[in-house]
Every structure is written in C-alpha cells, then in structure tokens.
Amino acid sequence: MFEGRYETLKEGASKMGPVAYWMSRDQRSRDNWALLFAQSLALERRIPLIVFFCLAPSFLGAALRQYGFMLRGLKEVEGSLAERSIPFILVKGEPPEAVPGFVKRHKVSELVTDFDPLKIKRGWRYAVASRIGIPFHMVDAHNIVPCRIASSKQEFAARTFRPRIQAKLEDFLTDFPRLRRHPHHSGIKAVFAIEETISELEIDRTVKEADWLKPGESEAQKALEGFIEKKLDKYADDRNDPTKDGQSNLSPYLHFGQISAQRVALEIIRNGAEGEGKKAFLEELIVRKELSDNFCHYNHDYDSVRGFPAWAKKTLDAHSGDRRELLFSLDELENARTYDQLWNASQMQMVKTGKMHGYMRMYWAKKILEWSGAPEAALGNAIYLNDKYELDGRDPNGYAGIAWAIGGVHDRAWAERKVTGKIRYMSYKGSRSKFDVDEYIRRWTG
Ligand code: FAD
Ligand code: FO1
C-alpha cells in the first residue's frame, strides 16, 4: 500500500517507545499517507503513535497572515487526532535542534516525516537525521504520484512530464485507507493555546490574517464541494477572467496540506460533471502542480537565475544592456505605485486578500521583469512580494510560476523583444482583449 510512497532516510535499531510523525507539509488528519504509514508501523509493533509539528520562529518571511492560517488549521488537526486517541504536540523552536530534542524527550523509537522539495526542509531533514539514532522515514503525502517516482530527473515542460505522470496515475490515484482509532496509548495529553501561540510569535504583523477564507480541513472540504457544485463546469471558460470567481481557491489549503490533492482529484473525477472544466482542472491540479515539485526537487536553484534554462539565461544576458523605459523600486512595487493601473490592481488584490487571481499572477511577474533592471533583481522582488502577501506563498508552485514568468522555465523561446528577449511577453492590450480590465481595476484600486 505504501510501495513507492516512502523512503528510509536513516536506518537504525528501533528501541522501545512510540512512533512519531513529524508533520510539516501535510497538515491534516485525513487522507495523509505519512500519518497512515506512521500508524501502520505503530500498529505492527503494538506501540503508541504520536504526532508533532515543529513551529519554527520564522519561515521564509511568513507573516501573521500565513502563520495564523496554518496554526488555526493545526488546532483542528489536534482535535481530529484526539478523536482517534492520537496526541498532537506543538513543539516550538528551530527544527534541527527541537526535533532531536523531542525524539529524546519522548523516547521516540521510529520517526516519520512528510516530503517537501524546498531547500530549507531538505536542510532540516539532513540535520535531524544526523542527530538521531533511530530509523527515520519520509513519505510523499503531497503528490499523487510520488515526486521521485513520477520522474527521476528535471522535466523540460508539461509536455514531457504529462505522459510520465499519466502512466503512473493508475497505480497511485487510489482510495485512502481509514485512519484508525489508535489502540496503544502514550499517556501524553497536550493542548496548545491558539491565541497565545499566535501572539507570542515574533513575526511581521502588518500583513493581516484573511477573513474571506477560513482555515482547516473541514473548510477545505467545503471549498472543494462548493467548487464542484458551482464552478467546475464553467472552469475552462472562467478561470482566466480575473473579474470572475472562477478558480477553486484551494491553493492555500493545498499549500498547508489542509486537503490532499489526491482527495481533490478523486472527488473531481467521481462527482464532477464531464466536460472541459474537469479536464482543465485536473491538468492544473495534477500535471502543473506536480511539475512544480519536480522542478524544485531536481533543481536546487529554483529561486535563482542560475536555475533558468540555458536559452533563457542567454537571451536575458544578451538584453541586459537594453535601455529600460521605466524602473520601479521594490518600495514602489510593494505600494502599487506604477503607471500601470492593471498591475497596481493585482498588487492590491494580493495585499488586501492574500490571493491574487491566477491570470494576473503571470502578468504581474512579467511586468516585474520589465521594470526591475537585472533579472536577478526581478526574481528577488517577485519572490519577496509573493511570499510576503500570498496565503499560498513559499510553495513549489510559486517558485515554478515565478521562474516560468521571468525565466522561461517549462516554456519555450518566443519572438525576440527589447529587455525581455525571447521570454514570453504579456501586454496590457492583450489583457484588455481577454477581460474587463476596467472592472478589475475599479474593484481593487477603488
Ligand atoms: P485553480 O485554478 O483552482 O487550480 C487548482 C490547483 O491547481 C491550484 O490550487 C494549484 O495547486 C494547481 N495549479 C493551478 N495553476 C497552477 C500553475 N500555474 N502551476 C502549478 N500549479 C497550478 N501557486 C501557489 O500555490 N503558490 C504560489 O505562491 C504561486 N505563485 C505563483 C506566481 C506566479 C508568478 C505564477 C504565474 C503562478 C503562481 N502560482 C502559485 C500558481 C497558480 O497561479 C496558483 O496555484 C493558482 O492561481 C491558485 O489558485 P486556485 O487554487 O484557485 O487555482
Ligand atoms: N513548516 C513547518 O514544519 N514548520 C513551520 O513553522 C512552518 C511555518 C510556515 C509558515 C508559512 C508557510 O507558508 C509555510 C510554513 N511551513 C512550516 C511549511 C509548509 O508547511 C510547506 O511545507 C512549505 O512552505 C512548502 O511546501
């Protein structure tokens, strides 16, 4: 059942003591392969199972908006796990020290964590593995087809990745087993105080929590059901119109693992009306999303110009001396003070709500390339703003999306222009022909 989904990062003799799941990317009790795997180990050895989350004091510039969404979701996880007699413990501190400390304190005999391609997580896992003496396993609970099974190398584009992933869907797009009430008890009783935990964090509090999207597993499930019922059949037509609420809004839930992409795909396939909407949505959810993990897993320069394909680096370099009509500083960008009202509106949408429309994200990042001078500066500005304000920021989808817009990742060369070279260009005029630009501007800058 877990074949291909897990790998053992460290061998070791398991001693007495509970199995622990170090939850990190997949913050849910339902449909979680890492949790199910940890429970299967514990059941086999007839020992307790405990789940913990290591709350880092800072994480890639995350602000109150993202920490609040995450912690409120984790509070629900604590309750759902308690119903299955599985304790959930919130551990505070830097994971390289806090996780080995937890393992020692609770006499953990076997450790399981979830897969994440980001470099910071790779570093955490490496540090933890070198400081513990027990078996340590990693389970890909985020991708439907585990990242390293989908492909063993960085893929060029969706067209090269699609056939690989489709060939493996039959094996991996399966139903989930049930998480059982755990019969062996650890005696641990831990409850974390949500408001106190949030208020103690030394983070940027100027980026406020969002009020239009409620966090947690139950809300994620409701959002999915609402999308299938009301929006899926029109998705192919509506998703590229920023004046319409045509997307699923699932990305914050998917980012924090509050819903499993596999559950989303199963429900869409079973309950979604047949048609273009379903096809287009599954392409985004499966091919595009898992391609982003492929990019970040195999290309450790996913957040640097070094990670761009050779043709893109060459063309950007060739145009580095082109005269820029206008340059905007990071401060001007952040405060939406450019001449382009459409761009300003998209920046405002992101700052106010924590979720810029998907179509506008492409336009937004491409204009940052035109206005930032060097591509390195453009990439840095886009990542900084994306990760500061988006609820779904700090995600492989974000790094891949920005690298696509600015550095041609997963794309091809287009007609050559000044400044942006052969990188695909998007224009204000092009947007005007696609949707009611004035309405979008009114909505977010008015
Ligand atoms: P829907 O249209 O309902 O799609 C459903 C799901 O499919 C999404 O939740 C996502 O998991 C996946 N998906 C959709 N579009 C893409 C795509 N282009 N690439 C990969 N997966 C996709 N996504 C993030 O999750 N976090 C980010 O920080 C992020 N930043 C981006 C920055 C730029 C410059 C670009 C071009 C794209 C970025 N994306 C990011 C990808 C995409 O825009 C968002 O995933 C999508 O808009 C989220 O809204 P939704 O869940 O309502 O999407
Ligand atoms: N993961 C953790 O294990 N500990 C954290 O404290 C933590 C904070 C955090 C804040 C914002 C955010 O967007 C993500 C955060 N994550 C944290 C990681 C997250 O679960 C994802 O694994 C990665 O961002 C992308 O896959």
Side-chain angles (χ1 to χ4, degrees), residues 26-263:
D26 293 283
Q27 301 166 14
R28 62 183 182 278
S29 63
R30 302 175 206 169
D31 306 328
N32 183 335
W33 287 114
L35 174 59
L36 290 163
F37 179 71
Q39 183 170 57
S40 80
L41 294 177
L43 288 174
E44 204 176 287
R45 294 176 47 214
R46 297 166 188 263
I47 52 175
L49 167 65
I50 56 184
V51 177
F52 70 101
F53 183 87
C54 186
L55 182 65
S58 63
F59 187 78
L60 301 171
L64 177 62
R65 175 171 291 167
Q66 298 90 5
Y67 268 103
F69 196 87
M70 179 176 84
L71 283 161
R72 294 182 198 287
L74 285 171
K75 191 67 195 160
E76 187 182 341
V77 170
E78 178 189 81
S80 321
L81 289 178
E83 286 169 18
R84 303 237 167 8
S85 304
I86 303 169
F88 174 87
I89 303 131
L90 190 81
V91 182
K92 294 175 188 165
E94 293 291 354
E97 291 84 39
V99 173
F102 180 89
V103 164
K104 195 168 167 206
R105 233 175 10 261
H106 292 276
K107 299 188 171 53
V108 171
S109 65
E110 206 156 349
L111 183 65
V112 175
T113 194
D114 40 47
F115 165 79
D116 192 325
L118 297 194
K119 287 179 278 192
I120 184 169
K121 302 296 254 329
R122 204 182 281 270
W124 287 359
R125 289 192 300 266
Y126 181 81
V128 168
S130 66
R131 288 170 192 179
I132 57 172
I134 53 166
F136 182 21
H137 315 279
M138 178 171 73
V139 182
D140 190 340
H142 215 78
N143 291 290
I144 301 172
V145 178
C147 187
R148 70 195 172 91
I149 301 284
S151 175
S152 57
K153 60 175 176 56
Q154 186 189 337
E155 293 292 334
F156 290 109
R159 88 189 126 74
T160 64
F161 188 57
R162 193 176 298 110
R164 289 182 188 279
I165 200 154
Q166 277 170 351
K168 285 161 191 138
L169 272 182
E170 203 187 325
D171 292 340
F172 289 99
L173 189 47
T174 56
D175 263 320
F176 286 94
R178 205 168 44 85
L179 178 70
R180 288 177 47 187
R181 174 180 280 275
H182 203 73
H184 314 290
H185 300 158
S186 63
I188 298 174
K189 282 195 178 56
V191 179
F192 80 89
I194 177 79
E195 299 305 336
E196 200 180 308
T197 306
I198 294 176
S199 67
E200 277 169 11
L201 284 165
E202 288 179 23
I203 48 170
D204 180 351
R205 292 178 183 276
T206 62
V207 185
K208 303 284 180 223
E209 291 189 66
D211 57 7
W212 63 277
L213 193 73
K214 295 198 175 69
E217 294 188 67
S218 313
E219 290 294 330
Q221 186 62 32
K222 273 194 229 161
L224 170 60
E225 286 161 16
F227 173 68
I228 294 176
E229 198 190 321
K230 300 195 185 93
K231 299 198 253 177
L232 180 63
D233 59 342
K234 298 189 289 282
Y235 179 77
D237 295 328
D238 287 359
R239 69 181 161 147
N240 282 327
D241 184 341
T243 64
K244 291 188 177 150
D245 180 24
Q247 294 186 280
S248 68
N249 293 331
L250 286 174
S251 60
Y253 298 118
L254 287 163
H255 168 68
F256 288 105
Q258 295 177 357
I259 195 164
S260 142
Q262 187 163 336
R263 167 62 55 201

Side-chain angles (χ1 to χ4, degrees), residues 305-419:
V305 167
R306 289 190 302 274
F308 294 174
W311 68 263
K313 281 190 276 204
K314 195 170 155 202
T315 191
L316 287 170
D317 202 37
H319 288 272
S320 60
D322 291 1
R323 206 174 83 80
R324 267 79 177 155
E325 295 296 329
L326 277 168
L327 288 178
F328 293 107
S329 66
L330 178 58
D331 185 62
E332 285 167 321
L333 294 172
E334 186 157 9
N335 291 294
R337 285 202 308 265
T338 78
Y339 70 87
D340 179 342
Q341 291 306 320
L342 176 59
W343 191 94
N344 293 346
S346 68
Q347 173 69 16
M348 293 301 287
Q349 181 182 27
M350 177 173 74
V351 169
K352 285 182 181 166
T353 68
K355 190 164 180 291
M356 189 193 298
H357 189 277
Y359 177 87
M360 291 311 303
R361 293 192 197 207
M362 300 190 274
Y363 181 82
W364 174 86
K366 285 190 175 289
K367 293 296 145 191
I368 295 181
L369 173 62
E370 286 177 46
W371 300 333
S372 294
E376 285 84 359
L379 191 68
N381 287 346
I383 293 177
Y384 169 80
L385 294 172
N386 189 83
D387 290 0
K388 179 167 176 183
Y389 294 104
E390 297 283 23
L391 266 170
D392 59 20
R394 268 159 251 95
D395 191 278
N397 280 349
Y399 298 112
I402 292 170
W404 171 87
I406 293 178
V409 166
H410 302 147
D411 205 357
R412 62 173 172 86
W414 291 74
E416 197 157 5
R417 304 175 61 92
K418 279 196 184 143
V419 180

